[in-house]
Amino acid sequence: MLARPHRLVRGSDYRTVVRRGRRYGGPRLIVSVLDTGEERPVRFGFIVSKQVGNAVTRNTVRRRLKDACARQLPLRDGIDVVIRALPTAARATFAELLADVDGAVARGAR
C-alpha cells in the first residue's frame, strides 16, 4: 500500500504528468514519468478505465499496481509517475505487471 505522500490525488497533477512527462509504453501499461525537480517524495497515480473490466477486475489491477509501485521505493525526490492500465492488464499476472512497472520506472526515473 502506498502512503498518502506517495500518491497523486489532484486531477491537475495527473494532467500535468500525462501531458508533459516522458511516456513509456508496453503491452499492458502506459507509464508517464515527470521529473519536477521539487524536494518531495516520489508520487504515483493510476488510471484504470472501464475498458479493463468490471469494478472487481479494475480494483484488482489497481491494487497490484500499487503494490508494484510500493516495491519501487525509494526513488529520487520530485518524480511523478502516472500508470495507465490497458485492457490486457486484466489478464496479466502480478509478476508480469511488476516486471512492466519495474522496466518503465527504471527507464524513466532512475
Side-chain angles (χ1 to χ4, degrees):
M1 181 72 176
L2 287 171
R4 179 119 177 129
H6 295 290
R7 287 185 282 173
L8 285 171
V9 292
R10 294 186 357 210
S12 60
D13 292 338
Y14 274 86
R15 280 189 296 279
T16 302
V17 174
V18 170
R19 290 180 182 163
R20 294 182 43 213
R22 297 190 61 157
R23 189 168 303 159
Y24 303 94
R28 293 171 281 276
L29 305 173
I30 295 176
V31 180
S32 299
V33 179
L34 178 65
D35 187 355
T36 63
E38 298 175 8
E39 289 294 323
R40 56 157 177 69
V42 62
R43 299 184 300 176
F44 293 94
F46 306 95
I47 301 170
V48 185
S49 73
K50 286 187 176 182
Q51 290 179 339
V52 174
N54 63 18
V56 173
T57 303
R58 291 193 310 269
N59 287 327
T60 300
V61 170
R62 186 178 295 115
R63 281 193 307 273
R64 288 178 177 176
L65 291 174
K66 284 182 180 181
D67 188 27
C69 290
R71 293 171 187 232
Q72 298 297 316
L73 298 174
L75 292 172
R76 281 193 336 250
D77 288 346
I79 294 176
D80 289 340
V81 179
V82 172
I83 299 174
R84 184 167 62 99
L86 298 175
T88 54
R91 295 182 303 279
T93 65
F94 177 71
E96 292 170 336
L97 290 176
L98 182 62
D100 289 346
V101 169
D102 187 37
V105 170
R107 284 183 284 166
R110 297 210 174 158

